[in-house]
Every structure is written in structure tokens, then in C-alpha cells.
Amino acid sequence: MEQENGISKGSSVYKVPEGKLIKVWLEVEVPGNILVDIKLTGDFFIHPEEWIASLENELKGMSMDDIPGKIIEQAEKDDVQLVGIGTEDIIHAIKLAFESTGS
Amino acid sequence: MTETWRLLRTGAMDAASNMALDEAVLSLNKGKKEGTLRFYSWEPKAISIGYFQGINEEVDIRKCEELGVDVVRRITGGGAVYHDDELTYSVIVDERHPNISNNILESYDYLCKGIVNGLERLGIDSEFKPINDIITGGKKISGNAQTRRMGSVLQHGTILRTVDVRTMFDLLLVPDEKIRDKMISAVEERVTSISDMLGEKVQDDRILEAMVEGFSEGLGVKLEPGEPTSEEWEMMKTIRSEKYGTREWNFKR
């Protein structure tokens, strides 16, 4: 856990069973649990690739509670193909990173 | 009648040029019924990282500079690759080609048949292993990555002639230095090469010839040797200077 000026930083590394690796780095504002910044990296595949940056931007400013629903909604809306990971894995990796902030 | 695809042999270039040429051919592929198969290699040696990877999480940049190894971010997802003694290929084809499935894994399987057939001609039995590998005797011998944009598919990948896991790990960051040796051994157990499999160093030309025949048979197409067009070279130079040669692109994640 790392904390400064009400911002908690967290990270996680999650290997999807039979799949690829997702790494999450995030900053959460406490109290309130608002996602301030997030980066999703790893050796997975998403088509189209640019979706990841737009997803990261969409998530910024949201309450952590609303993140899972938003990820599922965006993936369906944008009709993306994920290979080696699923939306549930992204959600899980973000949850692990959030837990690592100790918030 | 069998379709004829264009065969390019562009030899060795630096990492930014190699990635820029793949993207240039992809960008100018619209409306072409026949695909392109390209073979190439890397000079200097290079690390390519997947589209989504964090460069500072994966690559020891200082070490690469010290050893004169190029570092480039690919347009395709997947993992970090050390391009040393290998044959690299790319296939560019219209997404609506009857043999290209909308399902990405199925299209990997189809395009990887070229490599599986080529390896068979060298005397190596192998198979496609989802998500994006080709394995022989349980070990990886080829890694592949695909993107789809502007109505076309680009799949590129490596076919290892020899493999140097130790140098690869010198250039890549490991999560924990204490287990570096253990990780090297584990990867050495999981990765092989044409030379390892055959117990001799196979000439580049022989591998290339086997792969050309393998792709022709595996994809069911005739391959006609050609050259990149002047338009493709021009676009390659632009993409190289505006994208793969820039810090902005390579360090964007």
C-alpha cells in the first residue's frame, strides 16, 4: 500500500488460467474510492487494439463499484474480440490491484 | 484455379523498418484479392514487445542500448520476443478472404498451417497450439501474433533457427532477480528451435525454401516472387519515421 494526498496506488499481475497475463496499475482517490488513473498492460490480444486506451479513459473518474459493469458494457457496445483474456479477467485483475491499495 | 499470392523476401532490416513495412503492406492491401507472404530477418538484433505491454515493465532498455539491440513496439498484441537467429514471416490478406475465419483463433490455425507444413519438410512434426503458438514435442518453436485493421489481416511470427534464452533474459526484465536462473531453466525446458530439434545447424536458405513450400501447400496458394511496390516503400519510410522510430510510439505504454 502506498498513499499520498488521499491517493492510493495499487498494482496487480494476474495470469489467466490457460490464457495470457494482465498487469494493472491504478490510482484511487480515498475516501470515495474514485478511480483516478489506470493502466492495463500484458501479453494478451484485443481487437481492435485501440479499445484499451478508450476503456482506460472511460474508467477514469468512476467509482470502483461501477467499474465491472462499465467494462462489460463497453466491450459489448464496441463489439471487441478479446483473445487470451476475457472481460471477467480484466475485472478480476483490477479488483486485485484495488485490494492492494488497502482501501 | 489456384490463387497466386505475392512472395516477398526483404532480407535483414532494423526493427523499425521491419515493423513499418508490415504495416505499409497492410495499409495498402485494401481491395486486393490475393495475399502477400513476406519473409525477413533483423539487423541489428531486436526485442519486439506486444502492443499492450509496458516497455519499462518488460525490457531492460539500458542493456539493449549497451548491446546495440533495437527495441520496438509491435502493432500486434502478444508478448516480448527476442529476434536473433530466426526466420520471421508476415501474411497480409483481405479479412473477407474465403479462407480467413471471423474467429481469430481459427484464422491463426489456418495461417499457422504454413509453418507446420514447412517444419514437416524439414523433418519436424509440429502442431498449432492455441492461443498463438506452434509446438513440437511439447515445446514452443514458433510464436505468432495477429491484428486486423482497414479490412485486412496481418499475422506475423517467428520460426526459431536457434534459441538463446540466456541472452533473451539479459535483455528482458524478470519480476524477481533471485529466480532469474530458475526462470531461464524453465523457459529452456519449454522452448526449442529447428537446430535443437534436428541436432544440426540448418542453413537459412533451406529453412526459407521449406517454409515457402510449406506455406504454399498449407494455405493452398501459389507463391509468385515479387518486390514491395514503390508506394509500399514510400509508406514504409513515412510510418517508420512517424511511428516505429519514435519514442512516443515505443514508450506509449
Side-chain angles (χ1 to χ4, degrees), chain B:
Chain B
M1 203 184 84
T2 317
E3 265 178 59
T4 303
W5 286 20
R6 180 174 59 153
L7 173 66
L8 302 177
R9 296 175 57 172
T10 53
M13 293 195 290
D14 67 24
S17 300
N18 273 332
M19 293 298 92
L21 186 55
D22 273 357
E23 189 172 333
V25 176
L26 174 70
S27 303
L28 294 167
N29 189 60
K30 208 176 175 76
K32 291 184 183 151
K33 267 179 66 192
E34 293 80 20
T36 295
L37 171 65
R38 174 186 169 214
F39 289 105
Y40 56 103
S41 57
W42 308 68
E43 180 55 47
K45 293 169 186 179
I47 296 276
S48 76
I49 59 167
Y51 181 96
F52 303 100
Q53 290 189 298
I55 193 162
N56 290 315
E57 293 168 6
E58 305 293 336
V59 186
D60 188 336
I61 299 291
R62 194 180 292 175
K63 192 85 186 198
C64 288
E65 281 170 3
E66 193 184 305
L67 296 177
V69 172
D70 276 354
V71 180
V72 72
R73 178 181 302 280
R74 297 190 306 271
I75 197 179
T76 52
V81 181
Y82 174 45
H83 301 281
D84 179 6
D85 189 12
E86 65 172 35
L87 180 64
T88 315
Y89 78 92
S90 55
V91 175
I92 294 101
V93 62
D94 194 300
E95 204 173 1
R96 293 162 306 177
H97 189 283
N99 292 344
I100 299 291
S101 170
N102 284 331
N103 180 298
I104 299 218
L105 284 182
E106 281 176 16
S107 64
Y108 270 120
D109 192 3
Y110 167 68
L111 293 171
C112 284
K113 284 188 202 315
I115 300 167
V116 171
N117 273 291
L119 289 171
E120 194 184 334
R121 280 162 195 273
L122 293 168
I124 298 169
D125 274 329
S126 66
E127 59 181 328
F128 170 66
K129 179 170 184 268
I131 299 163
N132 56 328
D133 291 337
I134 292 167
I135 60 162
T136 175
K139 294 182 173 192
K140 175 173 172 173
I141 194 165
S142 161
N144 307 276
Q146 197 183 109
T147 186
R148 295 174 174 220
R149 49 186 70 219
M150 295 167 287
S152 294
V153 176
L154 161 67
Q155 179 171 310
H156 46 202
T158 68
I159 305 147
L160 294 169
R161 187 165 86 118
T162 61
V163 59
D164 180 357
V165 177
R166 197 156 283 276
T167 305
M168 183 179 90
F169 270 94
D170 275 346
L171 300 166
L172 297 178
L173 297 172
V174 293
D176 184 353
E177 281 303 322
K178 282 176 291 198
I179 58 162
R180 179 182 283 272
D181 283 338
K182 228 179 187 173
M183 285 187 73
I184 292 173
S185 315
V187 172
E188 279 173 339
E189 286 298 307
R190 288 204 317 267
V191 177
T192 188
S193 68
I194 291 172
S195 300
D196 284 344
M197 289 305 293
L198 298 180
E200 57 165 330
K201 207 152 181 181
V202 182
Q203 291 299 312
D204 285 334
D205 283 352
R206 218 182 113 206
I207 297 173
L208 187 64
E209 195 185 327
M211 287 300 152
V212 170
E213 289 171 1
F215 268 95
S216 176
E217 185 190 71
L219 272 51
V221 298
K222 240 174 89 179
L223 291 165
E224 180 77 27
E227 299 285 337
T229 62
S230 53
E231 201 185 359
E232 284 168 337
W233 279 123
E234 283 312 309
M235 184 172 269
M236 181 280 259
K237 284 179 204 159
T238 306
I239 296 173
R240 187 190 188 289
S241 64
E242 289 176 3
K243 188 170 181 177
Y244 297 103
T246 67
R247 193 178 162 87
E248 190 191 354
W249 166 259
N250 290 322
F251 283 75
K252 79 175 198 153
R253 297 189 85 75

